[in-house]
Amino acid sequence: MIPTIALHNGTTIPQLGFGTWLVSQDEAEDVVGRALEVGYRHIDTAQGYGNEKGVGAAVAASGIDRGELFLTSKLNNDKHAPADVRASFEQTLEDLRTDYLDLFLIHWPLPTRYDGDFTSTWEAMVELLGDGRLRAAGVSNFEPAHLEKIIADTGVTPAVNQIESHPYFPNRLTSEWSLRRGIAVEAWGPLGQGKVLGDPVIRELAEELGKSDAQVILRWHIQRGTIVFPKSVSTERMRQNLELFDFELTARQISRIDALDQGSAGRVGPHPDLFDMV
Ligand code: NAD
C-alpha cells in the first residue's frame, strides 16, 4: 500500500509516483502504460517534457478509473505571461485526455526573466482553481525567497514545492522552509539522476538490507516524508522502485545517508536563481 500525504487544500497525494522526464512522446504510451500496469497511480509529467499526449494515451488505454489516478503537470517556461497560463493549462488537459488535473506547478521561477515577475504567473495559476478543473496549484524549484514573495504578494500558499533532493543534495533549507509553511515537498531526481547509485555507503547498506541501491535511497526519502517519483523505462526497475514498504531503515542507517550531504556541490541540476532557459 502506497501511503498518501495530505495537501493543505484538503486533497491527498500518493507519496510514491512515476517520473517521466526524458520519456519521449513516442515511448510514453508504452512506458507509462507499463508503469500503470505494475501499480503506479501517480504520474509526474510537464509541458516541457513533450510527452503529455503519450501519457494521456497510456491513461486512456489503461481503463483505470480517473479517480484512482493522480496526475501532475507543469507550466512551461515560455508560458509565464498570465494570458498564456489558462490556454496552456487547457492544452495540457486536452493532451492528457482528462477533465481535470490533480496538480499543476510553475516549473521554474525564472527570476531573471519576465522582469522578475513570477507573482502574476502565480496569480494566474491560482485562478485556475476556480472552476474545478484544477485540484491543487503548486510550484517547482522555488527557493524560500521566491516562496516568501508569492505568499506575501497574493496571500496564497502553494500546495507543493517540487525541488531537487537526494542524498548528495537533500536541499534541507528549502525543504524545511517549505514544510514549516505547510507546503508538501516533492523530490525531483530522487536518485540524483542515477549519480547516487553505487555510492559506497549506499552499497553497504543495500547489502546489509538485501535491497537494491535504488530501494535504499527511495526508502530514505519515504521515511523523511518526501514525495518521490523515480523514473525508469525498465519494467523490472519500475517494480523494484515500488517495493519500498516491506522494510525500514534504522536511525543509524538514516544518519549514514544524511552524512552524504555535499551541500550545493551535490546538485545535479542548476540553481533556481540562475536557471533562465525559456
Ligand atoms: P531519478 O533520480 O529518478 O533517476 C533516474 C535515473 O535512475 C534513470 O537513469 C534510471 O534509469 C535510473 N534508475 C531508476 N530506477 C533505477 C533502479 N531501480 N536501478 C537502477 N537505476 C535506476 O531522476 P529524474 O528522472 O530526473 O527524476 C525523477 C522525476 O522528477 C523525473 O522523471 C521528472 O518527472 C521529475 N523532474 C522534475 C524536475 C523539475 O525541474 N521539476 C527536474 C528533473 C526531474
Side-chain angles (χ1 to χ4, degrees):
M1 233 348 228
I2 295 173
T4 54
I5 300 267
L7 301 182
H8 72 47
N9 66 342
T11 63
T12 58
I13 180 169
Q15 197 184 357
L16 176 62
F18 184 74
T20 64
W21 186 45
L22 298 180
V23 177
S24 71
Q25 190 83 278
D26 288 344
E27 22 166 37
E29 181 171 1
D30 166 55
V31 170
V32 175
R34 282 186 286 116
L36 293 169
E37 210 173 294
V38 302
Y40 291 90
R41 291 294 180 265
H42 162 189
I43 308 292
D44 183 86
T45 182
Q47 294 172 347
Y49 301 168
N51 61 18
E52 287 176 308
K53 284 186 180 156
V55 173
V59 166
S62 74
I64 297 167
D65 192 56
R66 177 65 182 86
E68 283 182 36
L69 295 172
F70 191 101
L71 300 179
T72 300
S73 191
K74 313 184 193 87
L75 181 77
N76 209 29
N77 294 339
D78 65 352
K79 297 288 189 283
H80 275 215
D84 291 339
V85 172
R86 183 171 294 270
S88 82
F89 173 70
E90 282 171 2
Q91 188 63 51
T92 282
L93 291 183
E94 191 180 318
D95 290 350
L96 290 174
R97 302 195 207 176
T98 183
D99 298 336
Y100 71 92
L101 203 59
D102 295 280
L103 178 63
F104 196 42
L105 309 174
I106 300 180
H107 207 148
W108 289 87
L110 305 174
T112 63
R113 296 272 181 183
Y114 301 97
D115 297 325
D117 173 21
F118 41 81
T119 292
S120 54
T121 312
W122 176 238
E123 272 165 352
M125 296 282 288
V126 171
E127 275 175 30
L128 297 175
L129 294 166
D131 65 7
R133 292 186 304 163
L134 179 63
R135 299 271 162 99
V139 296
S140 177
N141 299 300
F142 272 49
E143 296 285 302
H146 307 139
L147 292 166
E148 213 152 31
K149 178 155 177 50
I150 57 170
I151 297 168
D153 288 352
T154 67
V156 185
T157 303
V160 162
N161 190 16
Q162 182 179 128
I163 53 176
E164 177 180 346
S165 181
H166 47 78
Y168 289 168
F169 180 58
N171 214 338
R172 277 181 220 289
L173 201 114
T174 302
S175 173
E176 282 162 17
W177 198 99
S178 302
L179 292 171
R180 266 201 309 276
R181 298 298 291 257
I183 305 169
V185 174
E186 297 187 334
W188 67 251
L191 306 171
Q193 298 184 336
K195 291 194 177 69
V196 189
L197 300 168
D199 176 278
V201 171
I202 302 290
R203 276 276 64 235
E204 196 187 315
L205 296 177
E207 274 173 29
E208 211 169 287
L209 289 154
K211 296 287 172 186
S212 73
D213 291 12
Q215 287 171 318
V216 169
I217 299 165
L218 294 170
R219 181 70 210 182
W220 171 80
H221 283 286
I222 295 290
Q223 287 185 222
R224 299 177 86 212
T226 309
I227 299 155
V228 276
F229 24 82
K231 173 248 172 183
S232 173
V233 297
S234 134
T235 309
E236 151 55 28
R237 286 175 174 173
M238 289 176 189
R239 275 211 187 89
Q240 198 189 98
N241 295 347
L242 271 181
E243 286 164 12
L244 308 177
F245 304 102
D246 60 350
F247 72 108
E248 249 182 77
L249 301 174
T250 62
R252 181 193 65 86
Q253 290 166 330
I254 287 176
S255 58
R256 289 199 65 199
I257 302 177
D258 287 344
L260 298 176
D261 187 351
Q262 300 173 2
S264 218
R267 284 183 190 273
V268 297
H271 193 293
D273 272 332
L274 306 176
F275 185 74
D276 66 353
M277 205 180 78
V278 170

